[in-house]
Amino acid sequence: GKDGYRHYMEKELHEHPLVIGQTLQRMVDPATRKVVLPPLPCDLATIPRGVITACGSAYYAGMIGRYWLEEIARLPIDIDVASELRYRNPPLTPGSLGMLISQSGETADTLAALRALKAIGLPVLSVLNAEHSTMARESDLVLGTVAGPEISVASTKAFTAQLTVLACLTIAMGRARGTLDEAGEDELVTALLDLPGKAAEVFSHQADIRKMAGIVAEARDVLYLGRGSAYPVAMEGALKLKEISYIHAEAYAAGEMKHGPISLIDRTVPIVATIPSGPLFEKTLSNLQEAKARGGRLLAFTDEAGAERLSAIAEHTIALPEVHPFVTPVIQTIGVQILAYETALLKGTDVDQPRNLAKSVTVE
Ligand code: M6R
């Protein structure tokens, strides 16, 4: 049941801290604080490239995984949505590792992409919530997201569990490839172990996020902006808003705004910014200042360190808990998912069963 929550989505949002913790328990040895992976179908130290594919929210998790794997483990990544990858016939590098991500393990496009990767001889590692699914059977290795059943059509907790697995995979990859030393690994593992508590703290901002939702719910169009690993978070926020509130939303890499979407900006198009403090903060802030100067109404998800600068220009600023820059996308994601939920409540839509959508898309 819903355990007293109004919707499955609300219940599942509140399970973020739990599922991140459970997934970490599966992947991090508590005694050594090292990431431990099951036997792999390839040698992480020598693979030349990785290929990531998935659909919808799982694809956005993969995009965050790409930022991590490239930056921390120096593994070049090709990434595409499964429905494109399977028909693109890309000239993939022999010996690459295929990686796919799926909550259900039954999504037709992702399954077809899995078969296409296997057909050209790549080993496939799958990040799956349904460990007895078709994809689980056909993969060379399954890394399980320990999120439990997800009922709401809009994915929430499965997404942060996917990020948790991808973060652990990145650490293991960095160690194997010599890009991460002991101290570096320890720093990142500490950041991950810190996450369940920090994720729980996000809910202390729910009332403020509801005020933000008041502005979003009045809009016909909403722009989401972010840079770096906060860009896929913006995409996840926009998708979730579209899915359950039926408000049109688009995400852009903040630096792309001036190449087109800036012409949309006026008082009627709120801008939701995912802008954690860290190396990309200043650059994103100046993009937001440009939007503000053109009459845009800014709604910002930042953290304690970024809040002062943002509250000077934004109508609403959410100071999410401070975390290591590595894991900011996890905390930011919970914020934008709550915003979509609160907006849907104001719109009175069927939150758990939005129109035209199925939980598991088993047609191509
Ligand atoms: O079961 P999967 O993770 O393969 O599903 C992929 C997408 O269909 C899914 O993430 C979809 O985008 C969600 N409804 C997003 O909330």
Side-chain angles (χ1 to χ4, degrees):
K2 295 178 207 157
D3 294 354
Y5 289 107
R6 291 164 289 181
H7 301 95
Y8 280 106
M9 184 177 178
E10 187 182 34
K11 175 185 174 218
E12 290 163 2
L13 279 167
H14 282 269
E15 287 174 337
H16 276 302
L18 177 76
V19 308
I20 295 166
Q22 286 172 349
T23 304
L24 286 173
Q25 261 173 34
R26 174 91 67 96
M27 304 202 71
V28 178
D29 179 334
T32 60
R33 293 165 56 92
K34 294 234 172 282
V35 172
V36 183
L37 297 182
L40 291 163
C42 62
D43 180 0
L44 294 184
T46 57
I47 48 173
R49 294 186 79 86
V51 186
I52 298 181
T53 189
C55 301
S57 281
Y59 169 69
Y60 301 141
M63 282 186 71
I64 294 169
R66 172 180 65 168
Y67 280 97
W68 286 338
L69 287 163
E70 292 200 332
E71 196 177 315
I72 296 166
R74 310 307 299 160
L75 179 71
I77 298 290
D78 297 307
I79 178 165
D80 209 346
V81 290
S83 56
E84 286 297 313
L85 181 84
R86 52 180 300 217
Y87 294 118
R88 208 157 47 86
N89 190 20
L92 297 173
T93 311
S96 298
L97 172 63
M99 289 173 266
L100 55 87
I101 306 161
S102 175
Q103 188 284 128
S104 63
E106 302 295 345
T107 302
D109 285 316
T110 313
L111 180 59
L114 186 166
R115 289 176 178 157
L117 293 177
K118 293 220 72 171
I120 56 171
L122 299 195
V124 174
L125 175 163
S126 297
V127 178
L128 301 176
N129 199 39
E131 291 185 53
H132 301 287
S133 53
T134 310
M135 284 181 220
R137 279 194 301 277
E138 298 192 19
S139 302
D140 297 295
L141 176 69
V142 175
L143 295 180
T145 50
V146 195
E150 193 180 64
I151 310 291
S152 160
V153 165
S155 184
T156 53
K157 60 176 179 168
F159 186 88
T160 52
Q162 286 160 355
L163 292 184
T164 306
V165 169
L166 291 166
C168 290
L169 181 63
T170 300
I171 293 171
M173 197 81 88
R175 184 205 307 148
R177 300 172 74 78
T179 57
L180 206 54
D181 60 15
E182 288 248 349
E185 173 166 5
D186 198 64
E187 182 181 325
L188 300 187
V189 169
T190 302
L192 284 171
L193 295 175
D194 211 25
L195 263 180
K198 298 289 186 186
E201 281 177 35
V202 175
F203 292 90
S204 67
H205 299 280
Q206 194 159 354
D208 285 334
I209 299 176
R210 191 171 304 134
K211 288 186 199 141
M212 219 185 220
I215 293 175
V216 173
E218 299 290 308
R220 205 188 62 171
D221 308 283
V222 182
L223 266 180
Y224 282 69
L225 297 176
R227 266 182 192 261
S229 62
Y231 168 43
V233 174
M235 298 173 101
E236 162 66 3
L239 176 68
K240 220 106 291 182
L241 189 74
K242 280 186 271 218
E243 241 182 335
I244 61 172
S245 76
Y246 314 148
I247 295 170
H248 171 238
E250 290 304 326
Y252 276 90
E256 273 292 290
M257 194 185 57
K258 58 186 172 299
H259 299 290
I262 197 163
S263 69
L264 292 173
I265 291 174
D266 67 18
R267 295 263 324 150
T268 67
V269 185
I271 298 160
V272 177
T274 47
I275 171 171
S277 55
L280 300 174
F281 182 85
E282 293 300 330
K283 276 273 179 299
T284 314
L285 189 69
S286 74
N287 299 136
L288 298 183
Q289 277 155 344
E290 287 156 21
K292 168 86 176 175
R294 284 155 186 87
R297 299 174 77 177
L298 302 180
L299 311 173
F301 285 94
T302 184
D303 44 37
E304 284 131 26
E308 204 185 305
R309 308 275 306 279
L310 278 157
S311 50
I313 58 167
E315 216 156 309
H316 287 284
T317 300
I318 308 296
L320 295 168
E322 205 85 50
V323 289
H324 190 288
F326 174 50
V327 295
T328 53
V330 181
I331 292 296
Q332 292 261 324
T333 291
I334 301 174
V336 296
Q337 290 180 345
I338 295 174
L339 176 62
Y341 177 70
E342 290 292 341
T343 306
L345 288 184
L346 291 173
K347 298 291 273 189
T349 54
D350 187 347
V351 173
D352 284 336
Q353 284 292 335
R355 66 188 182 200
N356 309 340
L357 287 170
K359 180 63 183 160
S360 176
V361 185
T362 52
V363 291
E364 294 176 19

